[in-house]
Amino acid sequence: KYEKVWMLFGSGTLLVFLIVVGVSAFYMGNKPPSCAVTLDPEEVDTHTLFKEPGLTQIGDNEYQLTIVASAFDYDVGNDEKIIQIPKGATVHVSSTTKDVIHGFEIAGTNVNMMLEPGYISTYTNTFKNAGTYTLVCNEYCGVGHHLMAATIEVI
Ligand code: CUA
């Protein structure tokens, strides 16, 4: 008699799980929350925002940071892959990918985006604490996935 209840409970839980996975996959795949603007992935290199990646001061204590992701690299504007941000600065991050889906997570901060070909992902963050942070790819993108990283120094 009790087996029936457990069977129902088990399949009910499974169903809820599948719905949650399905719904989140659907929403993330079609409309990532941080993506609003579109662009042609083939024109990233000539795009006004992305042709010179890196950090640009745009105001008092305010910066624009553009980063171009591609397998398996983040172009931050220098070969050292280091971005230096003054402590307390507000940074408007814009990023995109030239090829496949990549992640964009600055470990230890609230910055965590998904980069999709054809979309510009944006996030504004104020770096209140000094330290060294690592930008990592948290979406599996191929054999070099684990090599994708850059360093952010808040000084
Ligand atoms: Cu790029 Cu994982």
Side-chain angles (χ1 to χ4, degrees), residues 1-9:
K1 198 174 180 188
Y2 283 112
E3 282 95 331
K4 225 174 196 175
V5 177
W6 282 111
M7 280 280 285
L8 266 173
F9 180 72

Side-chain angles (χ1 to χ4, degrees), residues 69-74 99-103 136-142 144-146 148:
S70 59
F72 302 97
D73 181 42
Y74 288 110
D99 39 51
V100 296
I101 291 176
H102 294 286
V136 290
C137 181
N138 57 7
E139 293 283 341
Y140 183 73
C141 52
H145 165 68
H146 62 287
M148 281 189 74

Side-chain angles (χ1 to χ4, degrees), residues 8-79:
L8 266 173
F9 180 72
S11 35
T13 313
L14 183 65
L15 196 67
V16 168
F17 176 74
L18 288 174
I19 289 169
V20 168
V21 169
V23 166
S24 54
F26 179 78
Y27 279 117
M28 288 192 74
N30 286 285
K31 191 171 153 283
S34 54
C35 292
V37 192
T38 56
L39 83 170
D40 184 343
E42 306 214 323
E43 286 169 7
V44 169
D45 288 328
T46 53
H47 191 275
T48 44
L49 194 57
F50 295 107
K51 63 183 174 191
E52 282 174 42
L55 193 72
T56 317
Q57 186 156 14
I58 55 168
D60 201 24
N61 218 15
E62 208 172 348
Y63 294 80
Q64 167 74 46
L65 175 62
T66 46
I67 293 177
V68 176
S70 59
F72 302 97
D73 181 42
Y74 288 110
D75 188 349
V76 303
N78 61 63
D79 291 337

Side-chain angles (χ1 to χ4, degrees), residues 98-119:
K98 292 205 269 188
D99 39 51
V100 296
I101 291 176
H102 294 286
F104 189 109
E105 179 182 1
I106 303 175
T109 73
N110 282 334
V111 186
N112 189 350
M113 306 191 287
M114 190 178 182
L115 308 179
E116 285 191 81
Y119 290 91

